[in-house]
Amino acid sequence: MKIIKYELLKIVTNKLFIFIFLVLWFINFIFLNYHNYLVPENDISHKAYKLLVSDLKGKNNLDKGIFINDLYQRAKAINIIYNIQNYRKSDNPLMREYADALRDENKEIYNMYYEESKNPIWKYTGNSDTELVFLEIIKTEYDIVNNYHKSLNNILDESKTIENVSIFNSNDNVSLKSISKTSDVYRSMLNTEVNYEVGKTVEKITSLNITDFFVLIIIFIFSMILTLEEKEKNLLIIIKSTKNGQFTTIVSKIVALFISTCLICILFYGMNFLYYYITLGCGDFFATVQSLSMFTLSTIKVNILEYLLMFFMSKCLYIFLLSLLIFYLSIKFNSISEVLLILFIIILINFIVYKGVDVTSNINLFHSFNLIGLINTNEIFRIYDNLRFYNMIVSKTSILLFLQVVLIFIFIILSIFKYLKNMNNDLRVNKIILKLKEFKLFKNIRFNSVFSFEVYKLLFVNKSLMIIIIFILFVSYNFKNQNFNLSYNEDFYKNYMDVLSGHLDKEKEEIIENTLNEYDKASKQLSEIQEKVKSGELSNIEGMIVSQPYEDVLATRSIFEKIEYKYNYIKENPNASFVYDTGYNKLFRVYKSVDFYDIYLIIFTVISILALFIMEYRTGVIQILNTAKNGRVKTANKKVLVTVIFCTFLFIISTVTEVIGIYKMYGLPNMDMSVISLEVFSNLPSNMSILTYLIVFYIVRYISYILIILLVEYISLKFKNMIFAFIVSIFILLIPFVMNIINNFQVNLFPFFNISLVRYNLAYFILVPIIVIINVFLYNSVVKKLE
Amino acid sequence: MLEIKDLNRSYGNKLVLKNINCKLTNGVYGLLGPNGAGKSTLMNIITTNLKADSGSILWNGCEIENLGNSFREILGYMPQGQGLYNGFTGYMFLNYIAVLKSVPKADIKSEIERVTKSVNLMDSINKKIGTYSGGMKQRILIASAIIGNPKLIIFDEPTAGLDPKERIRVKNLLGSLAKDKIIIIATHIVPDIENMAKNILVLKNGVLLEETSSDKLIQKYAPNGNLEDVYMSIFSNGEDL
């Protein structure tokens, strides 16, 4: 018990860990508020849900239905009245006519709500449109719950029909077994009582992926502190010799890991629970979970509170499994780079399995049972499903939970086994490891320069050669699996832009004008057909048939708007030309300041170079370096040079793959045209070609990338500890990127990859020198720090 | 000649070196003192790993700080603890240190052979350091300190972890090196320096208590004993051991 306490104390007294924990906890809190205050979903605030939950409290299902329906009908009616009033104000006589027709069609509700529409109170959202959207959502939810028993009967009827179909009607048939099992389970649910509850609170509590992400980071740090730090500080020998060493220590570590996993989950998911409980309100937590629309197809017989507990326990199970995996890797491998690399490969394999195994295949078990599939805890319980493993049929919920528990036990046993083995081998008596340690690639090669040694240290001692090979394989795999087919809309746009490509001339103007006329004509024809349908001249079906060709023409109208916009832009900016810009926009990060390519690059850069400086402190060789003629400035210089050259390869691989991918998919035409042909760069000098801008863009990116390299090195020298240097580097560089991608969170702490800054003339004169100055500063700091 | 003049160094409010003055010429010097006496601080200042608060260290009359890299060219240092790259072979490590010390390219091979022979590591020089025993690591560190024939060599606990046979070999090696060099050995293993050191520097609470030969020390502090008795006499503070 005491050892568990000390293992936990190791973490609690680790200031940086606590700091990172608190920061992530705080960011999680900001995210909770993000949808509530900053960008409410559909403009509906949490207050609306809370008010409705409170209004529905104490009502039975039927009363709730009447209440919701009344609210919905009222909101819908008043919205129709507003529409009628707006149409009446229109200059277009047809619209005024349509307003009258609409009023006649809705005479009853018009009369009923007309007076109220003059000064209505929108209790939940404050305005008519949002209130209608809100109540539509609620009504849909209610209808799903209210039709619960009907849906169950439908499932049972359907399964009966399928069972009777001859192709399934064989005793060995796996599909038949699955159908029978499903119908049996749903039949047992027929007695379940439902009483609608607003689902938002539970939905939000159980589906905030960003919290999972933060929890995983914390667990990652935690697992590594428990093992790698001990290794780095050579404490294993001491533990071995203590009375409570070895077995007790490893068991205590695992128990500490479990306790911490639960505590971290309580603190993060508990925060989510409390936050949404307070802001969204709660209905009857003792209603069956099927009273929530998202769980009507679930077959677990629990109430909402019990479900939340199950969710929490499953989350803990998953997080504990993952933490054990990291823990095991940290015991097995000696350096953080190796752990990260293997972890990355494992996650990649899981991702490939998740994406590659089809839900209908006969091994669909693996679609759900992998590190990616399991993260969505709700999916384990939300719908009853049978998973197949060849001829075996198993309930998805049971098997996923069972397999997680089995894996946990396996990892516990492996960790204990490996830990004890490491100890009793005095860390290096294993024959295979000994052989590997004896393996020498450069047996007879003599190096004559500090540079060569630094290259050797980076590539072979720190295994960055392996990292670059994995990076190439990873990038190649991604490239190979990239879908290069254009969507219909994109293809249409591309074809048009190919035709218009180049400077605007009379011929092109004519093409555009003609197309616009065609759209106008089609639009008019459609209006006329609608009029005829309204007046009874054409039946609805006839109207549909006649209007089809015009609708086909107008289907591309919204895409052509982009071309029309370009046309007008070029007329205002005579130096601009028609350029098919989708590829350029992607390349220049116009739509999103961050791409996955940036994330891969950052991860691999950090893993590759982090250890090069730290190894001198970890091994203690720094004391010799400091006393040698070439050991200070020269060594630091060479280290920086080697990492910059190495990372340049990573940069080139990443950039070239991205450019080729974009070129293959969209093409990069008209490079010689002025950069202002791309509207987003309208403020740049018109005499600059796209090609010149492309070169400048990549130069800026490259010097920004050097800044990242120097920053990682600076951090590594500041902390002199792999784990914390890694955490801080990832924290500063990667989290803003990931947040940007996951939640489109427009805060990027690292602005130099953000092209929006480069859109302005002045930015060229400010941005580049700023980055260069920071680079020089970081470079000097790195060199001085090694001194 | 290495001259230390009015050297002071403190950590926060604690003065760890107080007004150290001494002159060292070719030969072996033993640096004695208990933990916290200031030995490591003094060595770190001489090796330019640390800066003094005041005072100076002169090499042949020039301040070592001004000499910069040319001072490091004549310096060899073997730190305490076995700071080595496990992924390097012994040969590669010595090759690296030779490059760091600017040993001329043409001489690197012969230098490595010379120091490897000196520390009796010929058989395992092509093995990875990760497979070395503690004693072998200690010897490769000694070899790295003497490579390039430095004029001033500082050893921090050079015989720790060595078996008796290797200890005698190292003692002989250090003794033979001292003809044209200044060698400073900081150690707790008093017998290791008793017969070898020309002079013993005794540090107590940051003060250089004595700088004299071991015979004179014995005469003064333990007339019927040996250097170990001197150590006990100076540092035991009347405690019963």
Side-chain angles (χ1 to χ4, degrees), chain A residues 687-779:
Chain A
N687 56 359
M688 181 187 266
S689 70
I690 297 174
L691 180 65
T692 316
Y693 181 73
L694 197 69
I695 293 165
V696 172
F697 173 76
Y698 276 107
I699 290 172
V700 174
R701 268 178 80 82
Y702 182 64
I703 55 171
S704 304
Y705 179 61
I706 290 176
L707 192 149
I708 289 178
I709 299 167
L710 291 171
L711 189 65
V712 172
E713 285 173 347
Y714 179 80
I715 291 167
S716 73
L717 277 166
K718 182 98 191 147
F719 288 92
K720 301 179 181 82
N721 172 307
M722 278 294 284
I723 298 169
F724 290 125
F726 175 77
I727 294 161
V728 174
S729 308
I730 291 295
F731 199 72
I732 294 173
L733 296 169
L734 206 64
I735 288 180
F737 278 26
V738 175
M739 272 157 55
N740 196 309
I741 285 182
I742 293 179
N743 263 28
N744 203 15
F745 193 67
Q746 289 303 324
V747 177
N748 193 349
L749 295 181
F750 194 74
F752 304 116
F753 274 155
N754 193 344
I755 200 60
S756 57
L757 272 175
V758 193
R759 284 182 201 167
Y760 307 101
N761 251 335
L762 200 59
Y764 278 108
F765 303 104
I766 297 173
L767 187 64
V768 177
I770 286 177
I771 306 172
V772 172
I773 289 167
I774 297 174
N775 279 353
V776 172
F777 168 76
L778 282 174
Y779 171 74

Side-chain angles (χ1 to χ4, degrees), chain A residues 437 457 616 619 626 630 632, chain B residues 48-49 83 85 96 100 128:
Chain A
K437 279 180 185 287
K457 281 189 211 168
E616 311 299 358
T619 56
N626 277 344
N630 295 330
R632 295 189 176 198
Chain B
T48 68
N49 272 317
Y85 305 127
Y96 179 54
L100 285 178
K128 284 203 176 176

Side-chain angles (χ1 to χ4, degrees), chain A residues 130-168:
Chain A
T130 319
E131 190 97 345
L132 186 61
V133 173
F134 172 63
L135 291 169
E136 260 167 7
I137 293 169
I138 297 297
K139 192 174 178 308
T140 312
E141 271 188 15
Y142 176 81
D143 289 343
I144 293 170
V145 174
N146 196 38
N147 287 328
Y148 176 67
H149 291 101
K150 210 171 158 187
S151 308
L152 287 189
N153 284 321
N154 281 345
I155 293 170
L156 295 176
D157 290 345
E158 270 173 37
S159 58
K160 213 177 228 175
T161 316
I162 296 169
E163 276 170 359
N164 292 331
V165 173
S166 58
I167 54 161
F168 292 113

Side-chain angles (χ1 to χ4, degrees), chain A residues 511-540:
Chain A
I511 294 172
I512 295 167
E513 292 297 342
N514 286 343
T515 314
L516 286 172
N517 285 339
E518 260 178 55
Y519 285 132
D520 281 346
K521 222 187 267 176
S523 188
K524 270 180 197 160
Q525 293 287 354
L526 260 184
S527 302
E528 277 172 27
I529 293 165
Q530 278 163 5
E531 284 304 314
K532 282 180 185 170
V533 171
K534 243 183 233 168
S535 64
E537 214 174 308
L538 286 173
S539 70
N540 275 343

Side-chain angles (χ1 to χ4, degrees), chain A residues 570-608:
Chain A
I570 291 168
K571 280 207 283 193
E572 282 167 27
N573 298 278
N575 287 324
S577 318
F578 282 106
V579 174
Y580 174 53
D581 55 357
T582 310
Y584 291 114
N585 286 340
K586 288 227 167 198
L587 210 58
F588 294 138
R589 308 281 194 279
V590 169
Y591 303 128
K592 233 175 186 183
S593 60
V594 172
D595 203 295
F596 276 106
Y597 283 96
D598 303 331
I599 292 185
Y600 306 147
L601 188 61
I602 299 288
I603 292 175
F604 277 91
T605 304
V606 172
I607 296 176
S608 310

